[in-house]
Amino acid sequence: MELHDVWFVLIAVLWIGYFFLEGFDFGVGVLTKLLARNRKERRVLINTIGPVWDGNEVWLLSAGGATFAAFPEWYATLFSGFYLPLLLILICLIVRGVSFEYRHKRPEDRWQTNWENAIFWTSLLPAFLWGVAFGNIVRGVKINGEMEYVGNVFDLLNGYSILGGLVTLSLFTFHGAVFVALKTVGDIRGRARALALKLGLATAVLALGFLLWTQAAHGDGTSLIAMVIAVVSLVAAIGANQAGREGWSFAFSGVTIVAAVAMLFLTLFPNVMPSSLNDAWNLTVTNASSTPYTLKIMTWCAGIATPVVLLYQGWTYWVFRKRIGTQHIADAH
């Protein structure tokens, strides 16, 4: 296996990790409006991800940085062609982080309500837009012979990519509901499980349609295996949730995300960004990659730094593993 193939796999792993972790992160943000009945319950939901949300975004930074260094042509075409949706995602992530930190800085009801609304919308929009973006990457976009995107933003709004956005939004929200059930006690835990059932059934319908569409249009034997794993895991997650086994439900919903994202990358390889104009203009792991020397240096750096990051993030989740409830939230002054 060549180094550019290795880095395609590593970038896929980074995106899988990001969607697994930031998926429930976004889901909890959406649930602040769908599940929480009052400000104290919203504080409970926010506190479930408070110690980890910023660490989850490290995976996005790593994925973007690795793409820039390992596949500069892919990075340039992707970020120029998808400039507006990616800019909107970036703005949402910035406002979302500020919202977590500023929400409690002043006691006025209007102040806190505005920041809570910001948390909801800046969680919902990226969860949807990431599905739209990856749907277009798999489907193929207008790339010419100079590796430049020649379409416009409206070309990115098509049936397949919009369905992909609905799948990521519903799947992340389901993942978040299961996480809330795993991390809370009391009434909010039971309501999270009940809502997770409804979200899981809706997700199953949307995901099955999207994955079958993907397999029919772009798939092969290996992507079919990933699709089957994703579907079976989603059914298992719904069943475990109904049985009150939140840990297993969260694990299976995570496997669903892992398998679904892996399927998208399996349908791509050896392309990294197909052209809808001419197959000869596809960006591939070969023509979009950096020099072998660059990839070699990156491999050494990743081999040293990655285990440290994984250990530290795992330790963070272990330290903040206990459940919380409204009884742990002090009354507002």
Side-chain angles (χ1 to χ4, degrees), residues 88-230:
L88 181 56
I89 290 174
L90 178 60
I91 292 173
C92 285
L93 294 179
I94 294 171
V95 174
R96 187 168 181 265
V98 173
S99 301
F100 286 134
E101 300 298 333
Y102 274 59
R103 173 185 54 85
H104 62 282
K105 296 297 185 183
R106 289 171 56 179
E108 291 89 345
D109 181 74
R110 182 176 180 182
W111 171 272
Q112 296 193 10
T113 298
N114 288 339
W115 286 119
E116 288 166 357
N117 289 335
I119 290 172
F120 170 76
W121 287 110
T122 56
S123 298
L124 185 147
L125 287 175
F128 174 75
L129 290 173
W130 279 127
V132 173
F134 272 84
N136 278 293
I137 292 173
V138 172
R139 177 178 178 267
V141 292
K142 294 180 178 179
I143 300 174
N144 63 17
E146 284 72 45
M147 299 184 180
E148 295 179 355
Y149 178 74
V150 293
N152 56 58
V153 68
F154 297 105
D155 293 326
L156 304 178
L157 300 176
N158 51 77
Y160 178 77
S161 65
I162 291 175
L163 178 59
L166 293 175
V167 169
T168 52
L169 175 58
S170 61
L171 180 56
F172 290 170
T173 308
F174 169 70
H175 195 40
V178 173
F179 179 77
V180 170
L182 178 64
K183 287 287 293 180
T184 58
V185 294
D187 179 60
I188 195 170
R189 176 186 178 188
R191 284 189 283 114
R193 284 172 50 194
L195 182 57
L197 173 62
K198 299 176 183 178
L199 291 169
L201 294 175
T203 301
V205 174
L206 293 170
L208 184 60
F210 179 74
L211 295 178
L212 286 174
W213 191 344
T214 303
Q215 179 63 27
H218 311 285
D220 56 15
T222 54
S223 63
L224 178 61
I225 294 173
M227 185 191 79
V228 171
I229 294 174

Side-chain angles (χ1 to χ4, degrees), residues 272-292:
V272 295
M273 202 167 178
S275 171
S276 60
L277 301 178
N278 190 330
D279 288 343
W281 297 339
N282 290 348
L283 299 185
T284 68
V285 293
T286 303
N287 64 20
S289 70
S290 293
T291 63

